[in-house]
Amino acid sequence: MFPHMKLATLPVLLSRHPQVADAEGVCYGRKDMTLMAGWEPVAAGLLTLAKGIGSSVIYTSPSSRCLAVAQKMAERSGLPVLQDDRLQELYFGCWEGLAWADIPRQALDHWASDPEGFSPPGGENGKSLQERVQAFWSDLLRLARPALVISHGGPLRLLDGLARGIKQPDLLAPSMPQGSSRLYYVSV
């Protein structure tokens, strides 16, 4: 590397919304779900982390379970909240709101064997999710603003991989637990 060239790093805090009520065993994707009572301390802790990295913006899924956290943080900090549809969870179509146990096993097996190409009836396939999350990530890096990103399991498993330098993150990789965050310093 040449001495006059510096590699900059961008702090990016990835956060999954707090736990939701009545979600046990339910496929809910983009279905509006209520946060479990007592989620506010998660927002307070997240705000401390966001301030610590010098975050200048909060990007959030427009889903109420993400937006509520972002708005609570904005009230306390004055940070701008930017809703971005690309941060929405995978759309499960006709499966939304069904118990996982009520979805035909054959359909779930087909999804597991082809997560990029398979779409639940009336829903979105994994390739579409990958494309929109990759577009968001590219814009985030181009703008190079220290940021907090509040989203869902699907988008975050991809963002987590991208932050670690994986070009094609695994759609079926384990996701961050609800209410958790991960901090990355990404080269830009």
Side-chain angles (χ1 to χ4, degrees):
M1 180 169 262
F2 298 102
H4 66 280
M5 294 179 68
K6 291 185 180 179
L7 197 57
T9 57
L10 173 67
V12 178
L13 182 59
L14 301 177
S15 183
R16 189 167 177 192
H17 61 77
Q19 288 189 315
V20 295
D22 303 318
E24 188 69 33
V26 175
C27 173
Y28 55 90
R30 291 193 192 168
K31 181 176 172 43
D32 197 23
M33 300 294 284
T34 303
L35 291 172
M36 289 182 82
W39 63 269
E40 292 83 359
V42 172
L46 191 52
L47 180 56
T48 300
L49 292 172
K51 285 181 176 179
I53 66 162
S55 182
S56 63
V57 63
I58 301 170
Y59 292 103
T60 183
S61 161
S63 167
S64 64
R65 59 188 180 267
C66 296
L67 188 55
V69 176
Q71 289 173 332
K72 176 68 81 177
M73 293 175 62
E75 288 170 13
R76 294 182 179 171
S77 68
L79 286 172
V81 173
L82 301 177
Q83 295 180 52
D84 196 311
D85 289 344
R86 297 174 296 182
L87 295 173
Q88 292 184 94
E89 182 58 280
L90 182 77
Y91 180 53
F92 288 98
C94 294
W95 292 1
E96 299 261 337
L98 295 179
W100 284 106
D102 292 340
I103 298 170
R105 182 75 219 173
Q106 183 179 18
L108 292 173
D109 290 343
H110 187 196
W111 179 31
S113 70
D114 184 16
E116 268 190 24
F118 179 80
S119 299
E124 176 183 28
N125 66 29
K127 183 159 182 56
S128 174
L129 176 66
Q130 287 173 323
E131 288 170 352
R132 63 184 166 84
V133 169
Q134 179 64 57
F136 171 82
W137 184 252
S138 294
D139 287 347
L140 183 80
L141 296 182
R142 182 180 48 78
L143 294 171
R145 295 173 67 185
L148 164 61
V149 178
I150 304 173
S151 190
H152 309 273
L156 285 168
R157 75 174 38 95
L158 299 175
L159 289 168
D160 183 69
L162 291 167
R164 291 184 290 123
I166 299 170
K167 300 269 188 241
Q168 286 290 336
D170 185 356
L171 283 163
L172 300 179
S175 190
M176 302 167 53
Q178 292 180 353
S180 68
S181 300
R182 293 184 182 154
L183 174 61
Y184 292 96
Y185 287 89
V186 182
S187 297
V188 291

